[in-house]
Amino acid sequence: MLEFDVLVCGGGTAGAVAGIKAARLGANTLIVEELSALGGTQSMGWVTPMMPNYLGGRQLSAGLNLEIQEEHAALSPETDFENAQVWYNPVVLSVALERLAVRAGAKIAFSTSVRSVARQDGRVESLTLSYPGGDWVVRPRIVVDATGDADVVHAAGGTTESGGAGGRKQPVTLRFNLANVEISAVLRFFSGMSEGHGNPNREDFLHIGYAEAKQSPIADQVGEAIRAGVLEEDDLGYFQFFTMLGRPRELAFNCPRIVGFDPLDPFERSQALVIGRQKILRIHDFCRRFLPGFEECYISVIAPLLGIRETRRIVGLYTLTEEDHQSCRKFEDAVARNRYPIDIHLAEGGVELKKLPANDYHEIPYRCLVPRDLDNVLVAGRCLSATFAAQSSVRIQPVCRALGEAAGAAAALCTDQNVNPKDLAYELLRPHVDLSVGLENVAGEGRLDW
């Protein structure tokens, strides 16, 4: 049996940051990741770029979030850092996270997942981990559940919730890339669309997005493709793509949206991947045949990781609500700030957005990271304690990084103070949570804004 101060389960958007932070604060830290790279949806799910979390021209997620951007920029000479604070190359990002983790002294176990959890009273005593060569047992003092699905909390018998009213879940997405695209032709074509739909800036920072393609300026092309048998009726609902830093002539697609599958069911999750790949083949054919600039394109990437917006959420010491979001509520134990809208992808098509006032934000309290009925566990990322609607806002990458940093700091402090997360004094955590407003994006040409 191996012993660690802090065990981070999941090396994704939040987990990688939690592991880096805990190790920096002196905790003997292990990051367990079931895939072969850090970054989760950012690197293996190809969910690029990050959605914005700005107040005016300044980032609300500072701290390690900014360090990761700087590390990415150091590995990417082509990065226009002033305009590229949320745009990134997934391959470079995974390397940047790995370098930061190794530099911090965190240990990493790739291709390793949680098999079982042993709980005594309200405490996780040990976890059995599986890797290709067999199983091993780890006894941690503090566990950070950054699995996205609250797997550790669930396995330990902690209380979780899933879905919204009637158990509804948001659709999943399987991201992909098209390469050998004539970006200038794409830019000219979509620049002529009606205002409020396409919003391209320039060839290196290009974003096109429609909540429902059949009700967008390309509705005629979509309809013709359906009649010709190129697309099936439900292939293009949501349709969105972006340029990427360091990958010229390539676009990252935030589609197809795949409806009606439960990501917690292994057969349904697998079926979603199968269906998603078939849809990608048809969308590729549609782009080549009906959209200028795509005539010679090919599929360069299909993400190995399904893009899942939400599954389980823990029930913590506090549950963030839609009212907290819409009223821009502040908290005495804040660990993150957010002004991204409530963003619910609807099974019937389209997106429900509820924005915040232009000059305000809400906060997320530390208590949302602390499970109500487990003693030595914290969570980080999209499985925090929040309602269905509130989670749809705070699941974005910069916020998840901030939550990971807070959870990692809290875990290390708990081992140092020999206390459980419920009993950690916020005054000790506060110096390690960066709530300052980050770097100013002066030009702002490449900055997404919602």
Side-chain angles (χ1 to χ4, degrees), residues 233-426:
E233 190 70 35
D234 65 346
D235 282 341
L236 284 183
Y238 200 82
F239 183 68
Q240 186 179 42
F241 59 78
F242 305 87
T243 48
M244 285 180 300
L245 291 172
R247 300 178 75 96
R249 297 179 62 85
E250 192 166 1
L251 294 172
F253 281 72
N254 184 19
C255 56
R257 183 167 55 190
I258 309 164
V259 178
F261 294 92
D262 182 357
L264 295 176
D265 182 295
F267 294 105
E268 292 195 22
R269 189 173 187 144
S270 299
Q271 186 67 6
L273 286 164
V274 171
I275 290 174
R277 285 190 274 266
Q278 293 302 312
K279 288 180 178 293
I280 287 169
L281 293 176
R282 294 191 292 270
I283 294 170
H284 167 232
D285 196 22
F286 163 72
C287 290
R288 285 194 309 110
R289 294 171 62 173
F290 291 91
L291 299 181
F294 291 93
E295 292 85 356
E296 303 297 327
C297 74
Y298 62 90
I299 300 170
S300 57
V301 172
I302 296 179
L305 181 64
L306 195 64
I308 299 171
R309 293 180 172 87
E310 51 91 22
T311 51
R312 299 189 195 99
R313 309 179 303 277
I314 70 159
V315 176
L317 299 183
Y318 184 84
T319 299
L320 191 74
T321 67
E322 181 177 350
E323 182 182 358
D324 294 332
H325 178 279
Q326 292 289 282
S327 65
C328 298
R329 186 172 179 185
K330 313 302 189 291
F331 294 89
E332 292 183 356
D333 60 338
V335 292
R337 290 173 171 171
N338 174 56
R339 60 165 281 100
Y340 191 72
I342 286 172
D343 178 12
I344 301 173
H345 288 242
L346 303 173
E348 60 271 23
V351 177
E352 178 184 342
L353 290 176
K354 293 185 179 180
K355 299 182 179 181
L356 291 172
N359 297 311
D360 209 347
Y361 58 88
H362 75 92
E363 294 180 332
I364 303 170
Y366 169 66
R367 288 163 290 162
C368 289
L369 310 184
V370 183
R372 185 178 64 190
D373 41 15
L374 292 171
D375 289 336
N376 63 329
V377 178
L378 288 152
V379 302
R382 64 176 170 85
C383 56
L384 82 165
S385 182
T387 63
F388 174 78
Q391 189 271 356
S392 74
S393 169
V394 300
R395 62 181 168 81
I396 63 170
Q397 293 169 4
V399 174
C400 285
R401 285 180 176 177
L403 298 178
E405 182 166 13
L413 292 169
C414 284
T415 64
D416 181 67
Q417 298 292 313
N418 197 28
V419 297
N420 290 324
K422 295 177 183 177
D423 302 317
L424 179 67
Y426 178 71

Side-chain angles (χ1 to χ4, degrees), residues 8 21 45 107 142 186 354 410:
V8 180
K21 187 69 170 187
K107 297 177 180 63
I142 300 291
V186 175
K354 293 185 179 180

Side-chain angles (χ1 to χ4, degrees), residues 218-229:
I218 61 169
D220 290 344
Q221 289 89 340
V222 173
E224 185 179 350
I226 291 173
R227 290 188 294 273

Side-chain angles (χ1 to χ4, degrees), residues 12-157:
T13 305
V17 178
I20 293 166
K21 187 69 170 187
R24 282 188 178 181
L25 293 181
N28 181 19
T29 301
L30 172 65
I31 305 171
V32 171
E33 170 52 47
E34 65 180 357
L35 300 177
S36 58
L38 297 179
T41 56
Q42 294 186 302
S43 59
M44 305 300 279
W46 286 75
V47 181
T48 176
M50 295 194 294
M51 291 298 96
N53 188 29
Y54 284 90
L55 183 64
R58 295 178 179 271
Q59 296 189 65
L60 287 175
S61 298
L64 266 168
N65 178 50
L66 298 183
E67 285 192 48
I68 293 167
Q69 293 170 18
E70 291 166 354
E71 188 73 17
H72 180 281
L75 294 168
S76 303
E78 73 284 345
T79 297
D80 173 1
F81 189 65
E82 188 173 67
N83 288 324
Q85 293 172 25
V86 300
W87 300 72
Y88 63 90
N89 180 332
V91 175
V92 173
L93 179 67
S94 67
V95 176
L97 291 170
E98 191 173 283
R99 283 163 56 115
L100 289 169
V102 170
R103 209 176 293 154
K107 297 177 180 63
I108 307 171
F110 289 125
S111 304
T112 302
S113 57
V114 176
R115 178 179 176 186
S116 62
V117 177
R119 168 181 171 171
Q120 184 174 351
D121 298 324
R123 186 176 183 83
V124 170
E125 290 295 319
S126 64
L127 297 93
T128 300
L129 307 178
S130 291
Y131 69 107
D135 295 339
W136 47 303
V137 179
V138 172
R139 186 192 298 274
R141 295 174 65 188
I142 300 291
V143 181
V144 178
D145 185 343
T147 61
D149 300 323
D151 286 338
V152 175
V153 172
H154 177 71

